[in-house]
Amino acid sequence: LIQALHEEIDITQKEADEIVRLFFDSMADTLAMEDRVEIRGLWSFYVKQYDSYKGRNPKTGKKIVIKPKKLPYFKCSRALKDRVDDFAD
């Protein structure tokens, strides 16, 4: 991505790196605030809440309680799915 920016819009690699870093840092900050990030026609990310549940320690077999957690969730757009599927043909 950095290389593509460098070549396509004729900026230095350092400037391209800063742009890419800013973009992804902004996405991460938005998700940390539990907001949704969407790039229409490509994908969306949002935070999904998982409740606590009972699990098992794989080493000991002992039952344990898994704490509730929040994880980023990725959803691909229909346009991207179709584009990838068409590219494979």
Side-chain angles (χ1 to χ4, degrees):
L1 184 54
I2 292 168
Q3 188 66 31
L5 280 171
H6 168 66
E7 292 172 1
E8 289 292 321
I9 61 174
D10 196 32
I11 59 175
T12 67
Q13 283 195 333
K14 183 178 178 182
E15 291 170 328
D17 180 68
E18 290 173 8
I19 292 169
V20 170
R21 190 177 311 274
L22 174 66
F23 176 79
F24 286 110
D25 284 349
S26 296
M27 283 182 60
D29 290 345
T30 300
L31 289 170
M33 293 184 295
E34 297 185 40
D35 261 346
R36 177 185 169 103
V37 176
E38 179 179 355
I39 299 178
R40 299 210 177 200
L42 287 178
W43 61 68
S44 63
F45 287 93
Y46 58 94
V47 176
K48 195 169 183 181
Q49 175 76 36
Y50 292 91
D51 294 329
S52 176
Y53 62 93
K54 293 180 183 175
R56 189 177 299 265
N57 181 324
K59 285 187 177 181
T60 65
K62 183 180 175 185
K63 291 183 181 181
I64 58 174
V65 175
I66 309 298
K67 295 179 183 178
K69 59 187 168 187
K70 299 173 192 173
L71 294 172
Y73 185 80
F74 168 82
K75 186 172 181 186
C76 184
S77 73
R78 169 65 65 194
L80 181 57
K81 287 178 189 178
D82 293 344
R83 186 174 177 180
V84 169
D85 188 45
D86 290 344
F87 187 76
D89 291 338

